[in-house]
Amino acid sequence: MGFREDFIWGAATASYQVEGAAREDGRGESIWDRFSHTPGKVFHGDTGDVACDHYHRFAEDAALMRELGIRNYRFSVAWPRLMPEGTGAVNQKGIDFYNRLIDTLLEQGITPFMTLFHWDYPSALQARGAWENPDSPKWFEDYVALCARSFGDRVHNFLTFNEPQCFIGLGYVKGIHAPGLLLPDSSTIPMSHHVLKAHGLAVKALRELAPGACVGYAPCGEPCIPASDSEADIEAARRSYFGVTDDWSWSISWWSDPALLGAYPEQGLQKFGRYLPRGWERDLEIIHQPLDYYAQNIYNGHVVRAADNADGWENVPFPAGAPKTAIQWFVSPDALYWGPKFLYERYKTPFLITENGMSCHDAVSLDGKVHDPNREDYMHRYLLAYRRAAEEGVDARGYFAWSLMDNYEWASGYNERFGLVHVDYQTQKRTVKDSAYWYKRVMESNGVIL
Ligand code: GCO
């Protein structure tokens, strides 16, 4: 028992969070460049201009990964590095950078997992209406085709979108991420449909141009953990998990059912169907593409129990003093049991955790090391829960720690440290944290030592 023999162990990053070199070698502007340079939007006014300087230090980082036994690296491509205006002209220097990165990874025996979109949307396309524009799926398809043609000979694992809940929900519904807009449902529901259509077109393009590649999709959501093992509480958690509330942009089923099941969830259609663009039914066929992985980023969950109300469920608050990470998310390891269980039960697709990890108040100690027992304990508990789900039949294919190294945590700037490797942003010095050495042993044993 335990994890399958070919279980994929890895670590993840994303372009804007680590690359830096924001104005170098012909890279175009992204909405995150614009947003982070707008006073008052990001903690401490931090920007991704330099970040971890991964653009220049990727070889050193790849060598470190090898040393740490990380055999799979999930990273994302910055669309405006490849196509500065989002469409049309291609920036060869951008392609060259990812070629250097991919070749270096392969030389080090590390398998690349390429996320095609992790939020750094070209500003030029934002000016053309972004995802609200009916042409936006086609823009994405063209960009993905370029990635497939340029990298598909060496990259065999792709993820289309990372967390549409966040880049649409936080970016356009709640305004706390780039581009910082507060748009009505009549704008954002069409956006969600176009993102889903873009996902479908991207999968088709990858199948055609990078035959044999494994393709996945990586949304997110907070698993609902049943308050007890009673059937009533389990059903309450399931209903809450897949429900569509007025806060639809955070929903799992709205963003996953069309791609995995070929239909919008009924509850969502009742509430928001009237805002979907004309002809949406016809697009479902494009959106619903066979996938090799259904991936999720899972950090925390919350407890739900059966209730005698219209929903049939209610949230159970965490007890006073319950453990939290530095970013104030509750430590809730059962999220990595119930999340995969419910998701696999519904979508019946090989499952991947593309992100899991915690932010801690890490610092380099007097002895020159970074001691982070809380991270080790967090990952240990979550991996035990995930292994239990795998042993009970979830087709769990892999796990990527978030993150390889400390990096730019979006609106929180450099205030949160999620890395297995500590980064001193003044000197760019990397210091391996204790948890990375522990994770190495876990990976080497395929999770047996947990
Ligand atoms: C996200 C992203 C990552 C984050 C991580 C920690 O979920 O926001 O995929 O870029 O850095 O999840 O918040």
Side-chain angles (χ1 to χ4, degrees):
M1 288 301 269
F3 292 115
R4 48 187 290 149
E5 260 172 48
D6 57 355
F7 192 78
I8 300 159
W9 294 97
T13 64
S15 43
Y16 190 68
Q17 296 183 272
V18 297
E19 283 179 3
R23 278 176 284 278
E24 225 169 297
D25 289 342
R27 175 180 172 283
E29 191 197 73
S30 86
I31 56 173
W32 269 97
D33 296 306
R34 180 83 55 104
F35 187 76
S36 64
H37 280 271
T38 308
K41 297 294 186 196
V42 174
F43 175 82
H44 193 251
D46 294 342
T47 74
D49 286 2
V50 178
C52 308
D53 198 27
H54 190 55
Y55 188 81
H56 298 111
R57 293 168 196 263
F58 67 89
E60 177 196 331
D61 292 333
L64 192 55
M65 274 190 260
R66 185 190 172 101
E67 199 182 306
L68 295 175
I70 293 167
R71 306 297 302 269
N72 298 281
Y73 179 43
R74 173 182 176 232
F75 62 94
S76 76
V77 175
W79 184 346
R81 225 184 252 298
L82 260 47
M83 298 172 115
E85 296 297 313
T87 57
V90 172
N91 176 33
Q92 186 56 41
K93 287 190 171 161
I95 307 247
D96 294 345
F97 165 66
Y98 292 104
N99 277 334
R100 288 196 297 279
L101 172 62
I102 293 161
D103 292 343
T104 305
L105 291 171
L106 294 173
E107 276 159 30
Q108 296 283 11
I110 300 166
T111 303
F113 277 68
M114 181 177 274
T115 307
L116 293 157
F117 185 72
H118 200 133
W119 308 359
D120 33 10
Y121 194 68
S123 289
L125 297 184
Q126 180 59 40
R128 293 166 69 184
W131 299 105
E132 205 175 340
N133 189 318
D135 291 337
S136 58
K138 174 81 181 115
W139 301 337
F140 186 67
E141 181 189 12
D142 291 347
Y143 153 69
V144 171
L146 173 66
C147 291
R149 279 196 302 269
S150 309
F151 314 124
D153 56 334
R154 286 151 297 147
V155 176
H156 306 304
N157 292 278
F158 293 92
L159 294 151
T160 56
F161 286 107
N162 181 75
E163 300 191 2
Q165 283 91 343
C166 293
F167 71 82
I168 296 296
L170 300 180
Y172 297 89
V173 178
K174 297 180 181 150
I176 56 179
H177 274 186
L181 301 177
L182 291 154
L183 300 180
D185 293 338
S186 54
S187 289
T188 51
I189 291 283
M191 283 186 163
S192 71
H193 184 75
H194 293 142
V195 168
L196 286 162
K197 187 170 174 184
H199 159 82
L201 290 172
V203 179
K204 282 169 78 115
L206 288 163
R207 299 275 181 234
E208 196 188 311
L209 299 167
C214 291
V215 183
Y217 169 45
C220 63
E222 253 189 64
C224 296
I225 301 166
S228 77
D229 281 342
S230 76
E231 249 327 299
D233 283 342
I234 293 174
E235 179 53 22
R238 189 185 280 116
R239 281 180 66 169
S240 172
Y241 197 28
F242 294 110
V244 183
T245 63
D246 290 342
D247 192 10
W248 66 269
S249 66
W250 206 243
S251 152
I252 300 227
S253 57
W254 183 265
W255 290 107
S256 300
D257 283 13
L260 279 296
L261 305 178
Y264 279 102
E266 202 40 55
Q267 200 181 14
L269 279 184
Q270 276 164 21
K271 289 187 187 198
F272 304 105
R274 64 185 180 283
Y275 298 125
L276 283 168
R278 203 185 304 250
W280 63 270
E281 295 93 336
R282 279 196 309 278
D283 292 338
L284 286 171
E285 204 183 317
I286 297 172
I287 295 171
H288 184 206
Q289 296 296 319
L291 291 177
D292 303 286
Y293 306 119
Y294 177 68
Q296 275 238 355
N297 302 340
I298 297 180
Y299 291 87
N300 57 319
H302 59 274
V303 178
V304 168
R305 70 177 160 227
D308 203 4
N309 59 24
D311 295 322
W313 56 267
E314 65 187 9
N315 290 331
V316 182
F318 282 92
K324 283 182 184 172
T325 68
I327 204 171
Q328 300 297 310
W329 299 345
F330 283 105
V331 178
S332 34
D334 284 345
L336 231 53
Y337 171 75
W338 286 105
K341 262 208 116 96
F342 283 145
L343 294 165
Y344 187 64
E345 173 187 271
R346 188 174 179 97
Y347 300 124
K348 299 179 178 60
T349 302
F351 186 79
L352 263 188
I353 287 289
T354 30
E355 289 179 25
N356 172 249
M358 84 183 281
S359 65
C360 299
H361 297 294
D362 299 316
V364 181
S365 297
L366 276 176
D367 64 3
K369 299 181 177 167
V370 180
H371 305 296
D372 57 342
N374 291 343
R375 179 172 290 104
E376 186 178 316
D377 186 65
Y378 171 104
M379 290 174 73
H380 197 157
R381 290 172 188 271
Y382 277 69
L383 280 166
L384 280 173
Y386 190 32
R387 191 175 71 183
R388 188 153 67 93
E391 287 173 342
E392 289 180 20
V394 171
D395 187 0
R397 298 292 176 101
Y399 174 93
F400 288 81
W402 183 270
S403 172
L404 170 64
M405 57 190 152
D406 294 338
N407 59 47
Y408 183 77
E409 180 57 21
W410 308 112
S412 303
Y414 297 103
N415 200 37
E416 303 293 340
R417 293 184 176 274
F418 275 89
L420 293 166
V421 175
H422 180 277
V423 177
D424 177 329
Y425 298 109
Q426 271 64 55
T427 61
Q428 292 297 342
K429 182 171 189 304
R430 274 75 164 138
T431 306
V432 176
K433 301 182 190 177
D434 289 354
S435 60
Y437 293 118
W438 170 83
Y439 186 45
K440 180 179 190 206
R441 295 200 309 278
V442 172
M443 292 187 285
E444 278 165 1
S445 78
N446 200 32
V448 170
I449 62 162
L450 288 167

